[in-house]
Amino acid sequence: MYKKIAILSGDGIGPEVMQHSLQILDAIAGKFNHRFEYLEASIGGAAYEYCGSHCPDETLNICEQSDAILFGSVGGPLDQQHLAKWKNCEVNSILKLRQHFNFNINMRPITIYPELIAYSPLKSAAISNGLDMIIFRELTGGIYFGAHELTTSNHQREARDVCTYNETQIQNIIHAAFKAARARKKQLCSVDKANVLATSRLWRELATEIAGDYPEVKLTHMLVDNCAMQMIINPRQFDVIVTENLFGDILSDLAAALPGSLGLIPSASLNHQGKGLYEPSGGSAPDIAGKGIANPSAQILSAAMMLRYSFDMHEEADLIEKAVRTTIEDGMVTADLAEDAGKAASTAEFVSAVKENVIARSEATWQSRKKLDCHGLHPRNDEHRKST
């Protein structure tokens, strides 16, 4: 299978983590007879340096030509945010991409590996067997996209931010969450603030209506403040969560801290047509850029999500995810998760270990299939393999 992937490395640790992570995609391509063409484009401060725009038209054109977008990170040092290169960098880059392609469905899987429970800020009793949940966040509506006004009235400063949602925006994200819940544990928690906000009352009303299309899924409603508390007290009660833009922004960042490092959390943003943007949840971390110590797990796992959701390459995605977990189980972790900094793996060493596990696992799977073929239990599909 041939796919074109827009590569937007961005700023800070983005370029180094991205380039290392592409080695994993190359290994997958070699093992499964795929061909990935990487179309590189500038974004964020890196783009501003050469053209005066955080998200130039050239970058949008490359993204439009691609089958999916693999995004790194954008932004600069906190003490330089007043400079034109960094001012509103994230808004002008990632939000512009979301608006341009109408990426309205954001998915952030939260996984706590049992081997890393000690690094979670939660008590081990609350996550004794690890954690596996996913948060669906609506991306194109709500208060972030309403009017924002800062005015003066009666000699006092006033501010106003408008939150608006329509039926279609809400229905799209809720259907996506129900489908995910149906494929998992068949439970969905819809989060709102229906006791106060009109937009939340519409949200809850539509969620309840749509639940009729998914009778096998148990729908529950929870107020956002209670959800934040429950996520700390008993996060394992959740499997799939769906919520609006602002609440999702806050809750998904809270949940991303539970595994102990943002370097472990990938994310995907999809539009109604299935085009996707995939990015790690952590920032550009300019303080460690160029030192070769950044955790590449989130970038690698974002690539796995791309294979799964944009290319329907489920076996390949599973292989990457298992390879990352095996690497961690073997005790190979970067500085953000190492008890002894002197024994921490570099970015390159971690990626190399993941790549070795990808190759080892894929070879083992292939040998297993050959044995099954010999016994007539697993018909080979060489014709399909050649055609892809």
Side-chain angles (χ1 to χ4, degrees), residues 13-283:
I13 62 172
E16 59 192 281
V17 171
M18 180 71 77
Q19 291 308 310
H20 282 301
S21 299
L22 293 182
Q23 296 177 35
I24 307 303
L25 284 178
D26 290 339
I28 290 292
K31 284 297 173 182
F32 289 87
N33 295 325
H34 299 312
R35 185 162 75 89
F36 299 138
E37 181 181 355
Y38 305 134
L39 308 178
E40 298 197 358
S42 296
I43 195 77
Y48 193 92
E49 272 194 342
Y50 89 91
C51 71
S53 171
H54 291 119
C55 186
D57 289 341
E58 177 186 345
T59 295
L60 292 176
N61 291 336
I62 288 175
C63 291
E64 287 172 351
Q65 297 169 25
S66 70
D67 297 300
I69 304 166
L70 194 57
F71 192 94
S73 54
V74 294
L78 289 176
D79 61 355
Q80 296 181 25
Q81 295 302 302
H82 61 286
L83 301 178
K85 177 180 178 180
W86 303 120
K87 189 175 182 180
N88 298 321
C89 179
E90 186 173 352
V91 171
N92 295 336
S93 51
I94 188 67
L95 290 188
K96 184 175 180 179
L97 284 168
R98 288 174 183 171
Q99 286 182 300
H100 184 83
F101 291 101
N102 194 31
F103 290 133
N104 65 316
I105 298 171
N106 178 260
M107 299 179 291
R108 185 177 290 189
I110 306 296
T111 303
I112 298 180
Y113 301 108
E115 298 77 20
L116 297 178
I117 284 177
Y119 295 96
S120 173
L122 300 182
K123 293 180 179 179
S124 58
I127 47 171
S128 56
N129 295 316
L131 178 68
D132 176 20
M133 68 176 175
I134 185 167
I135 298 174
F136 280 73
R137 168 191 170 194
E138 202 289 321
L139 281 181
T140 58
I143 204 165
Y144 290 169
F145 291 93
H148 306 290
E149 297 179 359
L150 186 61
T151 61
T152 301
S153 177
N154 296 324
H155 307 292
Q156 292 192 78
R157 284 171 290 181
E158 292 183 352
R160 185 172 72 100
D161 299 289
V162 179
C163 181
T164 303
Y165 265 109
N166 62 46
E167 288 190 32
T168 301
Q169 290 171 316
I170 299 173
Q171 289 168 338
N172 285 343
I173 187 74
I174 290 179
H175 274 294
F178 264 112
K179 290 173 183 176
R182 185 171 58 188
R184 289 169 59 98
K185 296 180 180 179
K186 297 178 172 53
Q187 60 186 62
L188 174 64
C189 180
S190 177
V191 177
D192 57 42
K193 191 65 175 171
N195 60 333
V196 176
L197 302 177
T199 49
S200 281
R201 288 194 288 273
L202 176 61
W203 182 282
R204 183 172 292 204
E205 182 178 311
L206 290 170
T208 302
E209 291 174 3
I210 293 170
D213 296 335
Y214 304 88
E216 64 273 60
V217 178
K218 180 182 178 182
L219 171 67
T220 58
H221 301 282
M222 188 175 288
L223 296 177
V224 62
D225 42 355
N226 185 34
C227 182
M229 180 178 68
Q230 294 297 327
M231 200 172 285
I232 300 302
I233 295 174
N234 181 22
R236 295 188 63 204
Q237 69 183 281
F238 300 111
D239 186 56
V240 181
I241 292 173
V242 62
T243 191
E244 61 98 64
N245 206 344
L246 174 62
F247 301 158
D249 190 6
I250 296 168
L251 291 176
S252 61
D253 276 359
L254 185 158
L258 302 185
S261 172
L262 284 174
L264 294 169
I265 309 299
S267 74
S269 300
L270 306 174
N271 62 21
H272 198 55
Q273 291 74 40
K275 195 180 186 77
L277 180 148
Y278 302 86
E279 60 175 321
S281 297

Side-chain angles (χ1 to χ4, degrees), residues 214-388:
Y214 304 88
E216 64 273 60
V217 178
K218 180 182 178 182
L219 171 67
T220 58
H221 301 282
M222 188 175 288
L223 296 177
V224 62
D225 42 355
N226 185 34
C227 182
M229 180 178 68
Q230 294 297 327
M231 200 172 285
I232 300 302
I233 295 174
N234 181 22
R236 295 188 63 204
Q237 69 183 281
F238 300 111
D239 186 56
V240 181
I241 292 173
V242 62
T243 191
E244 61 98 64
N245 206 344
L246 174 62
F247 301 158
D249 190 6
I250 296 168
L251 291 176
S252 61
D253 276 359
L254 185 158
L258 302 185
S261 172
L262 284 174
L264 294 169
I265 309 299
S267 74
S269 300
L270 306 174
N271 62 21
H272 198 55
Q273 291 74 40
K275 195 180 186 77
L277 180 148
Y278 302 86
E279 60 175 321
S281 297
S284 61
D287 55 319
I288 62 170
K291 296 182 179 180
I293 61 173
N295 188 341
S297 298
Q299 190 74 68
I300 295 170
L301 293 171
S302 294
M305 292 187 77
M306 176 185 71
L307 298 183
R308 185 184 307 282
Y309 293 106
S310 281
F311 302 160
D312 287 326
M313 298 180 183
H314 298 279
E315 183 179 354
E316 293 89 330
D318 286 342
L319 184 56
I320 292 176
E321 291 164 356
K322 290 174 182 175
V324 170
R325 178 164 186 167
T326 299
T327 301
I328 292 172
E329 288 175 346
D330 291 342
M332 174 81 70
V333 293
T334 46
D336 55 325
L337 293 169
E339 292 182 4
D340 184 348
K343 296 181 180 179
S346 67
T347 306
E349 289 169 339
F350 185 89
V351 171
S352 179
V354 173
K355 183 178 178 180
E356 289 178 8
N357 282 319
V358 165
I359 294 171
R361 279 183 172 271
S362 56
E363 288 178 346
T365 300
W366 181 245
Q367 291 300 323
S368 176
R369 282 182 175 175
K370 287 178 69 177
K371 290 179 182 179
L372 289 171
D373 293 342
C374 291
H375 291 86
L377 300 175
H378 194 291
R380 294 179 65 179
N381 194 356
D382 288 338
E383 200 59 42
H384 173 72
R385 174 70 67 186
K386 291 175 183 176
S387 69
T388 58

